[in-house]
Amino acid sequence: MKKLVLSIFVVLPFLLSSCGGNEQETQVNETTIEETRNTNSCLDFAIHEKYQTLDPIKITDVTSFHILSQVYEPLLRFNEKDLSLEPLLAESWSVSENDLTYTFKLKKGVYFHDNDCFDGGNGKEFNASDVIYSFERIFSETENNYAFSLFRNTIVGAEEYNTSGGKISGIKAIDDYTVSFTLVKPSSSFISLMAITSSAMVTKSAVEKSVVIGTGPFTYDEKNDTELAVTLLKNKNYHMLDNKGEKLPYLESVAFNYIQEGQDELALFKDGKLDIITGIQPESVKEIVEAQISDFQNNPAKFVLGRYPKIVTSYLSLNTSIKPFNNVKVRQAISTAIDKSKIVTNVLRGEAFGEGNHGMVPPAIKEYDFSSVIGHEHNIAKAKKLLAEAGFPNGKGFPAIKFSTGKGNTSVRVALEIQKQLLANLNINVEISSLLQKEIMTLNDSSQTDMTLGGWLGEFPDPVAFLSVCYGAGVPESNVESSFPNESRYKNKKFDQLYEQASITLDLKKRYELCLEADQIIATEVPVIPLWYHENYQLIQSSIKNYKSNSMNIQYLTNVSIEEASANKLEE
């Protein structure tokens, strides 16, 4: 994902190259792609921004997450229905009575993708040495290593390894197919982190030769990575079988197609050039349903429509390390001046679960009482009073806000609405820069932007995964060094204590109580301003079978197949 920072509808000016269509096909690896077309078993997605990395430990964007989660696999996975943990590369695991030692039994007969980096070109078998190497990378790589921030201060001896080398004393290979992890202290998130793509398994020979090699259901080849699409091909040696003993995956390939700027994604879907699209505005859904009602009602139906909550919060991040945003009353004034209902109604056209009137943790987290967290209600008079108390009556003397947002239409429209509201309500000028996510992160790393529009998809379904965006322990003293994921550079001793306590509290009820208290601190002091919580419409071609949506936006494609729908099959 990360997990993961979400890029909101960012569009690149590339042509669509649907591997399921018959117009503009990718010219690379022609034999394989032509074969794919004939079997009609290429699944077509649209992507809205160039991936930032092909290294799992560096994932911070959704595009990289979606691509790499097909190529690499962690030890565990989240169940599609309830997000409970299930075996993947580990066939089982156990926990010691003191909750400090986790022992994983690895699945035998799992092989890395065939590649010339291996002797004879055949993929090596996955074993305990690959687990140890993967975690040594996590604790030794430094540049853009997001995985390190997730596991920091978790495993015995890992920090010493990071600074001095040697071995990580808390990770041991008991035999070729058994690995144990000893933790510094109990962790509420460690076992969930073993199911995210950032902790996926790699092998030394592939990393040393800079090739993208995992154990996943699909393989990456740079020849199929073009300006038109990233096309992944079936891993013919994949380790999973269906319930009839047939090899998986069913699909021959998966294409992540870049969309040309101004191109209508919905029209491409209706033309059969895309198989699944998400994030559709309700008014567009209404139009297509009313105009093409038969496509949804016929037997067989042509399209399938679904609506799903997402574990995602879109928010503004304010750089609290620089003036005037180091003043809590300034932040409270900005939050109070923004009418979130207008953003949801007028800009998003209802494509949201609801306004971000509470904390950072979204309502899709089960059993978390998100509505008990009280944010700052929209109140222009109160906002003006707060700004005056901060030393800027009627906005006098307040510097123009440098506001960074994505390049997509929705991102820009949200930014323009906020710009209009802050000028009208507080007499504050806002200068908008529409940038790629990579460019925004670079500006954040050096504190060259005051306010950023972004989205946060939790790495795992727990409030702790959202509160991490304000945890201050990893914020550097210098405000020109990266502080990701805490891009607001917020530091609050009480919040950090609550976050740390929640991170080691295994009892769900107690942990959620701690998280609610920490979430309230964020809502009160406003280092971030939640704008809306996500809920997406999704359209799927009815020929796509076994595609299961989930609130974490994980695309499980191993069991997906493409078959023409028939009335008989639907009746069955």
Side-chain angles (χ1 to χ4, degrees):
M1 59 166 172
K2 185 240 18 93
K3 334 211 160 181
L4 301 171
V5 174
L6 288 175
S7 175
I8 307 174
F9 308 110
V10 180
V11 181
L12 292 182
F14 294 146
L15 297 175
L16 179 71
S17 175
S18 165
C19 62
N22 57 12
E23 295 181 1
Q24 295 186 23
E25 307 295 340
T26 46
Q27 298 302 307
V28 295
N29 206 348
E30 291 183 5
T31 301
T32 305
I33 299 299
E34 181 63 36
E35 180 183 302
T36 295
R37 291 202 303 271
N38 290 338
T39 58
N40 191 32
S41 55
C42 176
L43 189 67
D44 282 295
F45 291 97
I47 53 176
H48 305 284
E49 186 175 38
K50 177 75 173 177
Y51 60 80
Q52 291 189 23
T53 183
L54 291 174
D55 187 338
I57 67 173
K58 299 180 180 180
I59 296 174
T60 57
D61 66 294
V62 171
T63 303
S64 300
F65 165 62
H66 281 158
I67 293 171
L68 293 186
S69 62
Q70 307 307 323
V71 177
Y72 293 98
E73 295 178 311
L75 295 181
L76 307 179
R77 56 163 269 167
F78 295 104
N79 177 276
E80 295 99 322
K81 292 183 179 180
D82 60 11
L83 300 181
S84 61
L85 291 168
E86 297 180 336
L88 187 54
L89 293 183
E91 62 182 14
S92 66
W93 71 95
S94 60
V95 187
S96 63
E97 289 186 6
N98 63 1
D99 295 313
L100 292 178
T101 300
Y102 290 72
T103 302
F104 296 88
K105 293 286 187 179
L106 306 183
K107 184 177 182 180
K108 297 179 181 179
V110 176
Y111 289 86
F112 287 94
H113 304 153
D114 292 346
N115 190 271
D116 289 341
C117 70
F118 303 117
D119 292 339
N122 296 319
K124 74 172 286 290
E125 186 180 12
F126 165 70
N127 60 33
S129 66
D130 298 306
V131 179
I132 292 175
Y133 175 74
S134 297
F135 275 86
E136 286 177 345
R137 276 196 83 227
I138 288 173
F139 284 98
S140 59
E141 293 276 348
T142 54
E143 186 178 2
N144 301 320
N145 183 357
Y146 178 52
F148 175 71
S149 69
L150 297 173
F151 285 96
R152 182 188 285 120
N153 299 320
T154 300
I155 300 170
V156 170
E159 263 57 42
E160 291 81 358
Y161 175 83
N162 178 258
T163 56
S164 305
K167 293 183 178 181
I168 302 177
S169 59
I171 307 178
K172 298 185 184 300
I174 297 172
D175 58 44
D176 284 348
Y177 300 101
T178 310
V179 180
S180 69
F181 291 77
T182 300
L183 308 188
V184 175
K185 52 193 173 186
S187 170
S188 62
S189 60
F190 173 76
I191 194 65
S192 293
L193 291 174
M194 302 304 272
I196 67 173
T197 308
S198 294
S199 67
M201 297 295 103
V202 297
T203 191
K204 186 176 182 179
S205 54
V207 172
E208 288 180 341
K209 294 187 179 180
S210 299
V211 290
V212 181
I213 298 295
T215 62
F218 297 93
T219 65
Y220 172 88
D221 188 326
E222 63 182 357
K223 293 183 296 184
N224 293 331
D225 184 347
T226 74
E227 64 179 9
L228 303 177
V230 180
T231 302
L232 307 177
L233 304 182
K234 177 178 182 175
N235 173 14
K236 296 181 179 180
N237 297 316
Y238 190 53
H239 58 91
M240 292 184 70
L241 305 175
D242 66 12
N243 55 15
K244 295 180 180 179
E246 299 293 330
K247 291 184 72 67
L248 295 170
Y250 297 123
L251 296 168
E252 291 295 324
S253 59
V254 177
F256 297 90
N257 301 281
Y258 293 114
I259 303 297
Q260 183 178 8
E261 189 170 4
Q263 212 166 14
D264 187 341
E265 193 172 329
L266 188 57
L268 294 167
F269 173 83
K270 290 189 288 186
D271 289 342
K273 294 180 180 180
L274 294 174
D275 292 310
I276 301 171
I277 59 173
T278 59
I280 315 152
Q281 291 190 348
E283 61 179 11
S284 298
V285 172
K286 182 180 179 181
E287 288 173 7
I288 187 175
V289 171
E290 290 179 349
Q292 298 177 237
I293 186 66
S294 62
D295 288 328
F296 296 91
Q297 292 183 337
N298 282 350
N299 187 5
K302 185 177 181 181
F303 305 139
V304 177
L305 174 65
R307 189 176 187 181
Y308 308 95
K310 296 292 182 183
I311 303 181
V312 181
T313 300
S314 282
Y315 64 102
L316 295 176
S317 178
L318 306 176
N319 190 336
T320 64
S321 72
I322 57 178
K323 294 180 178 181
F325 301 98
N326 60 345
N327 187 325
V328 65
K329 289 190 175 181
V330 166
R331 303 195 300 268
Q332 291 171 338
I334 291 173
S335 179
T336 307
I338 295 174
D339 187 345
K340 300 171 186 178
S341 66
K342 285 187 177 180
I343 295 174
V344 171
T345 302
N346 299 341
V347 181
L348 303 179
R349 307 294 174 90
E351 177 53 22
F353 176 89
E355 303 152 21
N357 292 329
H358 304 284
M360 266 298 292
V361 182
I365 300 289
K366 295 180 180 179
E367 300 182 45
Y368 184 79
D369 187 14
F370 85 104
S371 63
S372 69
V373 178
I374 308 302
H376 293 273
E377 293 184 0
H378 175 59
N379 185 319
I380 297 175
K382 183 178 179 181
K384 288 181 175 180
K385 182 174 183 293
L386 285 165
L387 193 65
E389 290 173 355
F392 304 98
N394 195 34
K396 184 178 180 181
F398 199 95
I401 296 176
K402 292 178 285 187
F403 184 16
S404 298
T405 187
K407 297 181 75 69
N409 180 54
T410 301
S411 296
V412 173
R413 289 173 61 208
V414 170
L416 289 170
E417 176 64 26
I418 291 171
Q419 179 189 54
K420 180 174 71 174
Q421 290 189 24
L422 292 183
L423 180 60
N425 298 340
L426 293 180
N427 197 30
I428 291 176
N429 290 312
V430 176
E431 299 172 352
I432 298 173
S433 294
S434 177
L435 306 164
L436 295 176
Q437 186 186 344
K438 185 176 182 178
E439 296 170 326
I440 293 173
M441 292 184 72
T442 298
L443 291 178
N444 275 323
D445 288 349
S446 55
S447 294
Q448 294 183 59
T449 187
D450 303 319
M451 185 167 72
T452 302
L453 173 63
W456 191 259
L457 168 64
E459 292 88 0
F460 49 93
D462 192 280
V464 170
F466 284 83
L467 299 179
S468 64
V469 300
C470 290
Y471 180 49
V475 176
E477 291 300 321
S478 170
N479 67 357
V480 293
E481 296 178 30
S482 174
S483 63
F484 187 86
N486 184 351
E487 292 184 323
S488 68
R489 301 178 185 271
Y490 177 65
K491 294 182 180 181
N492 180 293
K493 186 176 180 180
K494 178 62 175 176
F495 174 88
D496 288 351
Q497 289 173 343
L498 290 166
Y499 176 86
E500 290 167 359
Q501 188 62 41
S503 297
I504 63 172
T505 300
L506 304 185
D507 181 88
L508 185 71
K509 183 179 179 181
K510 292 179 180 178
R511 181 166 75 253
Y512 279 19
E513 288 174 354
L514 292 166
C515 289
L516 284 168
E517 189 176 350
D519 208 2
Q520 184 60 63
I521 292 174
I522 295 175
T524 301
E525 296 213 338
V526 204
V528 295
I529 303 174
L531 296 176
W532 72 91
Y533 308 116
H534 285 231
E535 183 177 61
N536 288 344
Y537 283 100
Q538 178 174 269
L539 277 171
I540 306 176
Q541 303 285 353
S542 64
S543 58
I544 307 304
K545 307 300 179 184
N546 298 320
Y547 181 83
K548 299 177 181 179
S549 297
N550 58 81
S551 59
M552 284 185 63
N553 206 21
I554 303 171
Q555 295 175 341
Y556 288 125
L557 306 181
T558 303
N559 290 282
V560 172
S561 62
I562 302 176
E563 52 185 87
E564 294 306 318
S566 68
N568 291 336
K569 285 185 178 179
L570 290 176
E571 288 169 1
E572 291 173 2

